[in-house]
């Protein structure tokens, strides 16, 4: 049975390092709550309402909460206790050297080499048990082409994720 709608959760980081502004929050906040598509499932967008700090321990504690299905994580003022089933999570970050938008296709478990904003590095065993390599299971080339066509925004493709939280 084909789904009638998809739920996409979206997060964004706040300022980090010497950057006092992170545009990822403006992008997240500017997204609509729902995208209605003709003859296709609609997309419900849940926006995580806080800017995420670029601190490894905080991010590691937050991740399970983002996936726990509790609506209150995304809508703190909601009286609804109806759980949400998240189909996809998109993290919007900032690539300080990219002109335009940068889409990362994959990430490696051991890639985080720079300290967080608290000066601490990611603990060696923090990601133990996770796959060595994460690859996006979506047709990113097709998605990017449709986004560029519909909104006229240039997107750059990257291979690996960066070596720090951003």
């Amino acid at each position: 049975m084909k789904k009638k709608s998809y739920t996409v959760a979206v997060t964004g980081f706040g300022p980090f390092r010497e950057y006092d502004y992170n545009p990822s929050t403006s992008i997240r906040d500017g997204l609509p709550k729902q995208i209605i598509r003709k003859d296709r499932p609609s997309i419900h967008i849940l926006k995580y309402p806080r800017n995420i700090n670029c601190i490894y321990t905080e991010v590691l504690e937050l991740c399970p909460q983002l996936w726990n299905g509790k609506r209150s994580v995304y809508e703190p003022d909601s009286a609804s206790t109806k759980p949400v089933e998240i189909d996809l999570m998109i993290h919007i970050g900032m690539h300080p050297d990219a002109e335009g938008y940068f889409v990362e296709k994959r990430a490696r478990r051991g890639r985080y080499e720079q300290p967080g904003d608290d000066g601490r590095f990611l603990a060696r065993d923090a990601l133990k048990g996770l796959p060595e390599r994460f690859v996006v299971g979506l047709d990113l080339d097709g998605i990017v082409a449709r986004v560029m066509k519909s909104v006229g925004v240039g997107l750059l493709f990257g291979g690996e994720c960066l070596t720090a939280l951003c």
Side-chain angles (χ1 to χ4, degrees), residues 99-161:
E99 293 183 23
Y101 300 98
F102 188 80
V103 178
E104 297 168 345
K105 291 186 172 187
R106 62 188 163 271
R108 293 190 185 277
R109 182 181 64 205
R111 183 107 168 126
Y112 297 99
E113 302 163 352
Q114 297 181 32
D117 280 348
D118 60 355
R120 295 182 180 179
F121 290 87
L122 179 65
R124 275 191 184 198
D125 63 346
L127 304 177
K128 186 177 180 180
L130 295 177
E132 174 62 33
R133 186 170 164 231
F134 295 93
V135 179
V136 175
L138 301 171
D139 173 18
L140 282 181
D141 295 320
I143 292 168
V144 167
R146 287 192 300 278
V147 168
M148 288 174 60
K149 182 178 179 182
S150 67
V151 295
V153 172
L155 298 171
L156 306 170
F157 270 110
E160 303 291 330
C161 66

Side-chain angles (χ1 to χ4, degrees), residues 5-137:
S5 68
Y6 292 100
T7 299
V8 176
V10 181
T11 68
F13 276 126
F16 72 104
R17 292 195 207 144
E18 69 271 18
Y19 303 97
D20 60 358
Y21 173 71
N22 191 331
S24 68
T25 58
S26 296
I27 296 167
R28 176 202 61 208
D29 295 346
L31 293 171
K33 288 186 175 195
Q34 185 173 19
I35 299 171
I36 305 294
R37 304 181 307 162
K38 184 178 179 183
D39 300 324
R40 299 182 77 191
S42 62
I43 299 170
H44 298 280
I45 299 175
L46 291 175
K47 303 176 214 178
Y48 183 65
R50 295 187 347 221
N51 296 338
I52 299 172
N53 294 319
C54 298
I55 298 173
Y56 293 111
T57 53
E58 290 183 20
V59 170
L60 291 171
E61 289 175 14
L62 177 62
C63 285
Q65 294 173 41
L66 294 172
W67 287 99
N68 72 12
K70 293 182 181 176
R71 184 172 302 277
S72 61
V73 170
Y74 297 93
E75 299 170 359
D77 297 331
S78 175
S80 175
T81 58
K82 182 181 175 187
V84 293
E85 182 180 326
I86 296 170
D87 297 296
L88 176 69
M89 177 103 38
I90 297 175
H91 170 68
I92 303 173
M94 175 182 161
H95 187 308
D97 299 324
E99 293 183 23
Y101 300 98
F102 188 80
V103 178
E104 297 168 345
K105 291 186 172 187
R106 62 188 163 271
R108 293 190 185 277
R109 182 181 64 205
R111 183 107 168 126
Y112 297 99
E113 302 163 352
Q114 297 181 32
D117 280 348
D118 60 355
R120 295 182 180 179
F121 290 87
L122 179 65
R124 275 191 184 198
D125 63 346
L127 304 177
K128 186 177 180 180
L130 295 177
E132 174 62 33
R133 186 170 164 231
F134 295 93
V135 179
V136 175

